[in-house]
PDB file of all heavy atoms in Angstrom:
ATOM      1  N   ALA A   1       6.845  -2.772   1.594  1.00  0.00           N
ATOM      2  CA  ALA A   1       8.162  -2.727   0.884  1.00  0.00           C
ATOM      3  C   ALA A   1       9.287  -2.405   1.877  1.00  0.00           C
ATOM      4  O   ALA A   1      10.321  -3.010   1.855  1.00  0.00           O
ATOM      5  CB  ALA A   1       8.091  -1.673  -0.173  1.00  0.00           C
ATOM      6  N   TYR A   2       9.113  -1.520   2.785  1.00  0.00           N
ATOM      7  CA  TYR A   2      10.016  -1.125   3.753  1.00  0.00           C
ATOM      8  C   TYR A   2      10.435  -2.350   4.635  1.00  0.00           C
ATOM      9  O   TYR A   2      11.558  -2.678   4.965  1.00  0.00           O
ATOM     10  CB  TYR A   2       9.586   0.066   4.604  1.00  0.00           C
ATOM     11  CG  TYR A   2      10.690   0.629   5.513  1.00  0.00           C
ATOM     12  CD1 TYR A   2      11.534   1.603   5.255  1.00  0.00           C
ATOM     13  CD2 TYR A   2      10.543   0.128   6.812  1.00  0.00           C
ATOM     14  CE1 TYR A   2      12.378   2.003   6.189  1.00  0.00           C
ATOM     15  CE2 TYR A   2      11.445   0.580   7.845  1.00  0.00           C
ATOM     16  CZ  TYR A   2      12.295   1.621   7.518  1.00  0.00           C
ATOM     17  OH  TYR A   2      13.258   2.123   8.487  1.00  0.00           O
ATOM     18  N   GLN A   3       9.349  -2.937   5.121  1.00  0.00           N
ATOM     19  CA  GLN A   3       9.484  -4.029   6.032  1.00  0.00           C
ATOM     20  C   GLN A   3      10.170  -5.288   5.490  1.00  0.00           C
ATOM     21  O   GLN A   3      10.829  -6.027   6.078  1.00  0.00           O
ATOM     22  CB  GLN A   3       8.169  -4.476   6.680  1.00  0.00           C
ATOM     23  CG  GLN A   3       7.551  -3.360   7.550  1.00  0.00           C
ATOM     24  CD  GLN A   3       6.068  -3.523   7.983  1.00  0.00           C
ATOM     25  OE1 GLN A   3       5.420  -4.399   7.293  1.00  0.00           O
ATOM     26  NE2 GLN A   3       5.672  -2.839   8.944  1.00  0.00           N
ATOM     27  N   GLU A   4       9.963  -5.483   4.161  1.00  0.00           N
ATOM     28  CA  GLU A   4      10.577  -6.630   3.455  1.00  0.00           C
ATOM     29  C   GLU A   4      11.964  -6.402   2.939  1.00  0.00           C
ATOM     30  O   GLU A   4      12.655  -7.264   2.525  1.00  0.00           O
ATOM     31  CB  GLU A   4       9.729  -7.034   2.304  1.00  0.00           C
ATOM     32  CG  GLU A   4       8.377  -7.640   2.756  1.00  0.00           C
ATOM     33  CD  GLU A   4       8.463  -8.956   3.499  1.00  0.00           C
ATOM     34  OE1 GLU A   4       9.449  -9.788   3.295  1.00  0.00           O
ATOM     35  OE2 GLU A   4       7.738  -9.205   4.445  1.00  0.00           O
ATOM     36  N   GLY A   5      12.442  -5.135   2.970  1.00  0.00           N
ATOM     37  CA  GLY A   5      13.809  -4.832   2.717  1.00  0.00           C
ATOM     38  C   GLY A   5      14.101  -4.356   1.434  1.00  0.00           C
ATOM     39  O   GLY A   5      15.322  -4.168   0.894  1.00  0.00           O
ATOM     40  N   ILE A   6      13.097  -3.731   0.656  1.00  0.00           N
ATOM     41  CA  ILE A   6      13.325  -3.113  -0.599  1.00  0.00           C
ATOM     42  C   ILE A   6      14.026  -1.774  -0.288  1.00  0.00           C
ATOM     43  O   ILE A   6      13.770  -1.133   0.753  1.00  0.00           O
ATOM     44  CB  ILE A   6      12.023  -2.912  -1.276  1.00  0.00           C
ATOM     45  CG1 ILE A   6      11.478  -4.221  -1.837  1.00  0.00           C
ATOM     46  CG2 ILE A   6      12.163  -1.809  -2.406  1.00  0.00           C
ATOM     47  CD1 ILE A   6      10.237  -4.222  -2.681  1.00  0.00           C
ATOM     48  N   MET A   7      15.042  -1.434  -1.120  1.00  0.00           N
ATOM     49  CA  MET A   7      15.889  -0.274  -0.811  1.00  0.00           C
ATOM     50  C   MET A   7      15.873   0.734  -1.925  1.00  0.00           C
ATOM     51  O   MET A   7      15.514   0.443  -3.179  1.00  0.00           O
ATOM     52  CB  MET A   7      17.281  -0.748  -0.700  1.00  0.00           C
ATOM     53  CG  MET A   7      17.452  -1.742   0.510  1.00  0.00           C
ATOM     54  SD  MET A   7      19.089  -2.549   0.445  1.00  0.00           S
ATOM     55  CE  MET A   7      20.259  -1.140   0.693  1.00  0.00           C
ATOM     56  N   SER A   8      16.132   1.957  -1.548  1.00  0.00           N
ATOM     57  CA  SER A   8      16.298   3.032  -2.622  1.00  0.00           C
ATOM     58  C   SER A   8      17.347   2.574  -3.620  1.00  0.00           C
ATOM     59  O   SER A   8      18.383   2.078  -3.288  1.00  0.00           O
ATOM     60  CB  SER A   8      16.813   4.395  -1.922  1.00  0.00           C
ATOM     61  OG  SER A   8      15.827   4.786  -1.059  1.00  0.00           O
ATOM     62  N   GLY A   9      17.085   2.829  -4.891  1.00  0.00           N
ATOM     63  CA  GLY A   9      18.016   2.484  -5.956  1.00  0.00           C
ATOM     64  C   GLY A   9      17.689   1.138  -6.549  1.00  0.00           C
ATOM     65  O   GLY A   9      18.213   0.854  -7.702  1.00  0.00           O
ATOM     66  N   ASP A  10      16.893   0.317  -5.898  1.00  0.00           N
ATOM     67  CA  ASP A  10      16.562  -1.031  -6.525  1.00  0.00           C
ATOM     68  C   ASP A  10      15.824  -0.821  -7.802  1.00  0.00           C
ATOM     69  O   ASP A  10      14.960   0.103  -7.947  1.00  0.00           O
ATOM     70  CB  ASP A  10      15.612  -1.754  -5.473  1.00  0.00           C
ATOM     71  CG  ASP A  10      16.388  -2.402  -4.367  1.00  0.00           C
ATOM     72  OD1 ASP A  10      17.588  -2.381  -4.409  1.00  0.00           O
ATOM     73  OD2 ASP A  10      15.697  -2.939  -3.472  1.00  0.00           O
ATOM     74  N   LYS A  11      16.175  -1.610  -8.742  1.00  0.00           N
ATOM     75  CA  LYS A  11      15.564  -1.532 -10.105  1.00  0.00           C
ATOM     76  C   LYS A  11      14.404  -2.658 -10.185  1.00  0.00           C
ATOM     77  O   LYS A  11      14.682  -3.784  -9.919  1.00  0.00           O
ATOM     78  CB  LYS A  11      16.462  -1.677 -11.135  1.00  0.00           C
ATOM     79  CG  LYS A  11      17.573  -0.625 -11.360  1.00  0.00           C
ATOM     80  CD  LYS A  11      18.520  -0.922 -12.456  1.00  0.00           C
ATOM     81  CE  LYS A  11      19.606   0.205 -12.663  1.00  0.00           C
ATOM     82  NZ  LYS A  11      20.551  -0.021 -13.735  1.00  0.00           N
ATOM     83  N   ILE A  12      13.153  -2.220 -10.475  1.00  0.00           N
ATOM     84  CA  ILE A  12      12.113  -3.104 -10.645  1.00  0.00           C
ATOM     85  C   ILE A  12      12.067  -3.586 -12.065  1.00  0.00           C
ATOM     86  O   ILE A  12      11.568  -2.792 -12.932  1.00  0.00           O
ATOM     87  CB  ILE A  12      10.749  -2.498 -10.143  1.00  0.00           C
ATOM     88  CG1 ILE A  12      10.896  -1.955  -8.751  1.00  0.00           C
ATOM     89  CG2 ILE A  12       9.575  -3.561 -10.301  1.00  0.00           C
ATOM     90  CD1 ILE A  12       9.642  -1.192  -8.327  1.00  0.00           C
ATOM     91  N   ILE A  13      12.439  -4.783 -12.310  1.00  0.00           N
ATOM     92  CA  ILE A  13      12.518  -5.232 -13.768  1.00  0.00           C
ATOM     93  C   ILE A  13      11.293  -6.103 -14.126  1.00  0.00           C
ATOM     94  O   ILE A  13      11.103  -6.305 -15.293  1.00  0.00           O
ATOM     95  CB  ILE A  13      13.825  -6.116 -13.903  1.00  0.00           C
ATOM     96  CG1 ILE A  13      13.953  -7.220 -13.004  1.00  0.00           C
ATOM     97  CG2 ILE A  13      15.005  -5.136 -13.777  1.00  0.00           C
ATOM     98  CD1 ILE A  13      15.157  -8.147 -13.224  1.00  0.00           C
ATOM     99  N   GLN A  14      10.456  -6.448 -13.113  1.00  0.00           N
ATOM    100  CA  GLN A  14       9.309  -7.328 -13.409  1.00  0.00           C
ATOM    101  C   GLN A  14       8.329  -7.162 -12.297  1.00  0.00           C
ATOM    102  O   GLN A  14       8.733  -7.219 -11.154  1.00  0.00           O
ATOM    103  CB  GLN A  14       9.820  -8.742 -13.636  1.00  0.00           C
ATOM    104  CG  GLN A  14       8.709  -9.755 -14.168  1.00  0.00           C
ATOM    105  CD  GLN A  14       9.261 -11.116 -14.446  1.00  0.00           C
ATOM    106  OE1 GLN A  14      10.216 -11.331 -15.156  1.00  0.00           O
ATOM    107  NE2 GLN A  14       8.459 -12.117 -13.979  1.00  0.00           N
ATOM    108  N   VAL A  15       7.084  -7.197 -12.603  1.00  0.00           N
ATOM    109  CA  VAL A  15       6.006  -7.146 -11.698  1.00  0.00           C
ATOM    110  C   VAL A  15       5.215  -8.444 -11.930  1.00  0.00           C
ATOM    111  O   VAL A  15       4.545  -8.557 -13.097  1.00  0.00           O
ATOM    112  CB  VAL A  15       5.130  -5.843 -11.802  1.00  0.00           C
ATOM    113  CG1 VAL A  15       3.939  -6.070 -10.714  1.00  0.00           C
ATOM    114  CG2 VAL A  15       5.958  -4.655 -11.453  1.00  0.00           C
ATOM    115  N   ASP A  16       5.123  -9.388 -11.076  1.00  0.00           N
ATOM    116  CA  ASP A  16       4.470 -10.650 -11.284  1.00  0.00           C
ATOM    117  C   ASP A  16       5.143 -11.276 -12.528  1.00  0.00           C
ATOM    118  O   ASP A  16       6.350 -11.436 -12.568  1.00  0.00           O
ATOM    119  CB  ASP A  16       2.947 -10.504 -11.448  1.00  0.00           C
ATOM    120  CG  ASP A  16       2.311 -10.232 -10.032  1.00  0.00           C
ATOM    121  OD1 ASP A  16       2.900 -10.696  -8.973  1.00  0.00           O
ATOM    122  OD2 ASP A  16       1.322  -9.508 -10.066  1.00  0.00           O
ATOM    123  N   SER A  17       4.399 -11.511 -13.618  1.00  0.00           N
ATOM    124  CA  SER A  17       5.018 -12.091 -14.839  1.00  0.00           C
ATOM    125  C   SER A  17       5.185 -11.098 -15.927  1.00  0.00           C
ATOM    126  O   SER A  17       5.684 -11.450 -17.017  1.00  0.00           O
ATOM    127  CB  SER A  17       4.151 -13.259 -15.337  1.00  0.00           C
ATOM    128  OG  SER A  17       2.867 -12.740 -15.652  1.00  0.00           O
ATOM    129  N   THR A  18       5.073  -9.864 -15.620  1.00  0.00           N
ATOM    130  CA  THR A  18       5.146  -8.780 -16.576  1.00  0.00           C
ATOM    131  C   THR A  18       6.459  -7.964 -16.536  1.00  0.00           C
ATOM    132  O   THR A  18       6.686  -7.398 -15.461  1.00  0.00           O
ATOM    133  CB  THR A  18       3.893  -7.811 -16.558  1.00  0.00           C
ATOM    134  OG1 THR A  18       2.729  -8.545 -16.670  1.00  0.00           O
ATOM    135  CG2 THR A  18       4.035  -6.764 -17.632  1.00  0.00           C
ATOM    136  N   SER A  19       7.184  -7.921 -17.580  1.00  0.00           N
ATOM    137  CA  SER A  19       8.449  -7.135 -17.577  1.00  0.00           C
ATOM    138  C   SER A  19       8.099  -5.631 -17.589  1.00  0.00           C
ATOM    139  O   SER A  19       7.152  -5.231 -18.336  1.00  0.00           O
ATOM    140  CB  SER A  19       9.355  -7.457 -18.839  1.00  0.00           C
ATOM    141  OG  SER A  19      10.394  -6.505 -18.875  1.00  0.00           O
ATOM    142  N   THR A  20       8.766  -4.902 -16.806  1.00  0.00           N
ATOM    143  CA  THR A  20       8.548  -3.402 -16.788  1.00  0.00           C
ATOM    144  C   THR A  20       9.573  -2.678 -17.662  1.00  0.00           C
ATOM    145  O   THR A  20       9.457  -1.421 -17.787  1.00  0.00           O
ATOM    146  CB  THR A  20       8.689  -2.881 -15.317  1.00  0.00           C
ATOM    147  OG1 THR A  20      10.073  -3.091 -14.839  1.00  0.00           O
ATOM    148  CG2 THR A  20       7.742  -3.518 -14.441  1.00  0.00           C
ATOM    149  N   ILE A  21      10.496  -3.308 -18.386  1.00  0.00           N
ATOM    150  CA  ILE A  21      11.547  -2.716 -19.197  1.00  0.00           C
ATOM    151  C   ILE A  21      10.799  -2.042 -20.380  1.00  0.00           C
ATOM    152  O   ILE A  21      10.045  -2.660 -21.116  1.00  0.00           O
ATOM    153  CB  ILE A  21      12.537  -3.624 -19.707  1.00  0.00           C
ATOM    154  CG1 ILE A  21      13.262  -4.330 -18.498  1.00  0.00           C
ATOM    155  CG2 ILE A  21      13.596  -2.911 -20.487  1.00  0.00           C
ATOM    156  CD1 ILE A  21      13.918  -3.480 -17.479  1.00  0.00           C
ATOM    157  N   GLY A  22      11.009  -0.743 -20.517  1.00  0.00           N
ATOM    158  CA  GLY A  22      10.448   0.011 -21.548  1.00  0.00           C
ATOM    159  C   GLY A  22       8.966   0.531 -21.284  1.00  0.00           C
ATOM    160  O   GLY A  22       8.364   1.299 -22.080  1.00  0.00           O
ATOM    161  N   MET A  23       8.332   0.005 -20.143  1.00  0.00           N
ATOM    162  CA  MET A  23       6.973   0.503 -19.801  1.00  0.00           C
ATOM    163  C   MET A  23       7.129   1.865 -19.079  1.00  0.00           C
ATOM    164  O   MET A  23       8.129   2.147 -18.384  1.00  0.00           O
ATOM    165  CB  MET A  23       6.475  -0.600 -18.819  1.00  0.00           C
ATOM    166  CG  MET A  23       4.964  -0.318 -18.445  1.00  0.00           C
ATOM    167  SD  MET A  23       4.274  -1.568 -17.332  1.00  0.00           S
ATOM    168  CE  MET A  23       4.391  -2.947 -18.433  1.00  0.00           C
ATOM    169  N   ASN A  24       6.089   2.681 -19.320  1.00  0.00           N
ATOM    170  CA  ASN A  24       6.126   3.973 -18.701  1.00  0.00           C
ATOM    171  C   ASN A  24       5.761   3.895 -17.113  1.00  0.00           C
ATOM    172  O   ASN A  24       5.278   2.820 -16.749  1.00  0.00           O
ATOM    173  CB  ASN A  24       5.293   4.961 -19.430  1.00  0.00           C
ATOM    174  CG  ASN A  24       3.842   4.587 -19.353  1.00  0.00           C
ATOM    175  OD1 ASN A  24       3.220   4.280 -18.333  1.00  0.00           O
ATOM    176  ND2 ASN A  24       3.167   4.841 -20.443  1.00  0.00           N
ATOM    177  N   GLN A  25       6.113   4.945 -16.477  1.00  0.00           N
ATOM    178  CA  GLN A  25       5.896   4.965 -15.033  1.00  0.00           C
ATOM    179  C   GLN A  25       4.413   4.678 -14.598  1.00  0.00           C
ATOM    180  O   GLN A  25       4.187   4.027 -13.675  1.00  0.00           O
ATOM    181  CB  GLN A  25       6.528   6.329 -14.456  1.00  0.00           C
ATOM    182  CG  GLN A  25       6.430   6.312 -12.883  1.00  0.00           C
ATOM    183  CD  GLN A  25       7.137   7.442 -12.410  1.00  0.00           C
ATOM    184  OE1 GLN A  25       8.061   7.985 -12.984  1.00  0.00           O
ATOM    185  NE2 GLN A  25       6.648   8.106 -11.258  1.00  0.00           N
ATOM    186  N   ARG A  26       3.545   5.284 -15.393  1.00  0.00           N
ATOM    187  CA  ARG A  26       2.088   5.235 -14.925  1.00  0.00           C
ATOM    188  C   ARG A  26       1.671   3.757 -15.021  1.00  0.00           C
ATOM    189  O   ARG A  26       1.027   3.206 -14.138  1.00  0.00           O
ATOM    190  CB  ARG A  26       1.222   6.173 -15.738  1.00  0.00           C
ATOM    191  CG  ARG A  26      -0.181   5.986 -15.429  1.00  0.00           C
ATOM    192  CD  ARG A  26      -1.065   6.734 -16.431  1.00  0.00           C
ATOM    193  NE  ARG A  26      -0.830   8.136 -16.448  1.00  0.00           N
ATOM    194  CZ  ARG A  26      -1.480   9.043 -17.203  1.00  0.00           C
ATOM    195  NH1 ARG A  26      -2.461   8.617 -18.095  1.00  0.00           N
ATOM    196  NH2 ARG A  26      -1.105  10.384 -17.152  1.00  0.00           N
ATOM    197  N   ASP A  27       1.954   3.187 -16.236  1.00  0.00           N
ATOM    198  CA  ASP A  27       1.526   1.728 -16.366  1.00  0.00           C
ATOM    199  C   ASP A  27       2.165   0.801 -15.384  1.00  0.00           C
ATOM    200  O   ASP A  27       1.499  -0.112 -14.865  1.00  0.00           O
ATOM    201  CB  ASP A  27       1.783   1.334 -17.779  1.00  0.00           C
ATOM    202  CG  ASP A  27       0.959   2.068 -18.829  1.00  0.00           C
ATOM    203  OD1 ASP A  27      -0.028   2.638 -18.546  1.00  0.00           O
ATOM    204  OD2 ASP A  27       1.397   2.030 -20.059  1.00  0.00           O
ATOM    205  N   SER A  28       3.409   1.148 -15.098  1.00  0.00           N
ATOM    206  CA  SER A  28       4.070   0.193 -14.060  1.00  0.00           C
ATOM    207  C   SER A  28       3.467   0.335 -12.686  1.00  0.00           C
ATOM    208  O   SER A  28       3.267  -0.708 -12.010  1.00  0.00           O
ATOM    209  CB  SER A  28       5.631   0.706 -13.942  1.00  0.00           C
ATOM    210  OG  SER A  28       6.200   0.415 -15.256  1.00  0.00           O
ATOM    211  N   ALA A  29       3.134   1.570 -12.348  1.00  0.00           N
ATOM    212  CA  ALA A  29       2.459   1.875 -11.055  1.00  0.00           C
ATOM    213  C   ALA A  29       1.136   1.075 -10.962  1.00  0.00           C
ATOM    214  O   ALA A  29       0.828   0.573  -9.911  1.00  0.00           O
ATOM    215  CB  ALA A  29       2.341   3.344 -10.812  1.00  0.00           C
ATOM    216  N   GLU A  30       0.451   1.072 -12.076  1.00  0.00           N
ATOM    217  CA  GLU A  30      -0.872   0.445 -12.079  1.00  0.00           C
ATOM    218  C   GLU A  30      -0.727  -1.115 -11.833  1.00  0.00           C
ATOM    219  O   GLU A  30      -1.581  -1.724 -11.245  1.00  0.00           O
ATOM    220  CB  GLU A  30      -1.598   0.776 -13.403  1.00  0.00           C
ATOM    221  CG  GLU A  30      -2.082   2.122 -13.591  1.00  0.00           C
ATOM    222  CD  GLU A  30      -3.122   2.531 -12.387  1.00  0.00           C
ATOM    223  OE1 GLU A  30      -3.973   1.696 -12.153  1.00  0.00           O
ATOM    224  OE2 GLU A  30      -2.935   3.624 -11.923  1.00  0.00           O
ATOM    225  N   LEU A  31       0.392  -1.643 -12.329  1.00  0.00           N
ATOM    226  CA  LEU A  31       0.628  -3.109 -12.146  1.00  0.00           C
ATOM    227  C   LEU A  31       0.820  -3.349 -10.747  1.00  0.00           C
ATOM    228  O   LEU A  31       0.440  -4.427 -10.104  1.00  0.00           O
ATOM    229  CB  LEU A  31       1.847  -3.509 -12.889  1.00  0.00           C
ATOM    230  CG  LEU A  31       1.814  -3.737 -14.432  1.00  0.00           C
ATOM    231  CD1 LEU A  31       3.033  -4.082 -15.088  1.00  0.00           C
ATOM    232  CD2 LEU A  31       0.729  -4.832 -14.772  1.00  0.00           C
ATOM    233  N   ILE A  32       1.563  -2.480  -9.954  1.00  0.00           N
ATOM    234  CA  ILE A  32       1.905  -2.657  -8.652  1.00  0.00           C
ATOM    235  C   ILE A  32       0.732  -2.514  -7.682  1.00  0.00           C
ATOM    236  O   ILE A  32       0.580  -3.256  -6.754  1.00  0.00           O
ATOM    237  CB  ILE A  32       3.056  -1.722  -8.181  1.00  0.00           C
ATOM    238  CG1 ILE A  32       4.405  -2.074  -9.079  1.00  0.00           C
ATOM    239  CG2 ILE A  32       3.385  -1.834  -6.771  1.00  0.00           C
ATOM    240  CD1 ILE A  32       5.493  -1.058  -8.858  1.00  0.00           C
ATOM    241  N   ARG A  33      -0.116  -1.552  -8.003  1.00  0.00           N
ATOM    242  CA  ARG A  33      -1.300  -1.297  -7.158  1.00  0.00           C
ATOM    243  C   ARG A  33      -2.289  -2.427  -7.430  1.00  0.00           C
ATOM    244  O   ARG A  33      -2.313  -3.022  -8.561  1.00  0.00           O
ATOM    245  CB  ARG A  33      -1.907   0.023  -7.482  1.00  0.00           C
ATOM    246  CG  ARG A  33      -1.054   1.215  -7.076  1.00  0.00           C
ATOM    247  CD  ARG A  33      -1.792   2.505  -7.194  1.00  0.00           C
ATOM    248  NE  ARG A  33      -0.979   3.537  -7.053  1.00  0.00           N
ATOM    249  CZ  ARG A  33      -0.654   4.509  -8.065  1.00  0.00           C
ATOM    250  NH1 ARG A  33      -1.187   4.320  -9.305  1.00  0.00           N
ATOM    251  NH2 ARG A  33       0.121   5.440  -7.769  1.00  0.00           N
ATOM    252  N   GLY A  34      -3.185  -2.583  -6.534  1.00  0.00           N
ATOM    253  CA  GLY A  34      -4.237  -3.588  -6.636  1.00  0.00           C
ATOM    254  C   GLY A  34      -5.128  -3.647  -5.489  1.00  0.00           C
ATOM    255  O   GLY A  34      -5.100  -2.869  -4.509  1.00  0.00           O
TER     256      GLY A  34
END
């Protein structure tokens, strides 16, 4: 993430094809990990 230029304050609105709006932090983190 650091090397590709993601910055503090960036809002993650979607992971792959799944919207994260309204999703809790734990479930969102599980989408990002793999």
